[in-house]
Amino acid sequence: MGAANDPAAVVDSRLRVIGVKHLRIADASVMPTITSGNTNSPTLMIAEKAARWILEG
């Protein structure tokens, strides 16, 4: 995850794949740093946020 001008970033802050229209990534791979504990809860939070953004349009 990163800014659109970051050459290492694959998705922007709203989980949209940079350079590909109508595609979002909503899994643990978008975490800039992985949590030290279980990744299930943060991944569910990412999915919930992505769902809201998709419904907003």
Side-chain angles (χ1 to χ4, degrees), residues 38-49:
N38 188 340
T39 58
N40 186 48
S41 293
T43 303
L44 289 174
M45 291 171 31
I46 290 167
E48 287 287 332
K49 192 67 170 176

Side-chain angles (χ1 to χ4, degrees), residues 5-28:
N5 60 356
D6 180 359
V10 177
V11 297
D12 66 11
S13 62
R14 292 181 68 90
L15 306 176
R16 295 176 292 220
V17 176
I18 296 170
V20 180
K21 288 185 177 185
H22 308 296
L23 180 63
R24 293 182 193 250
I25 303 295
D27 62 18

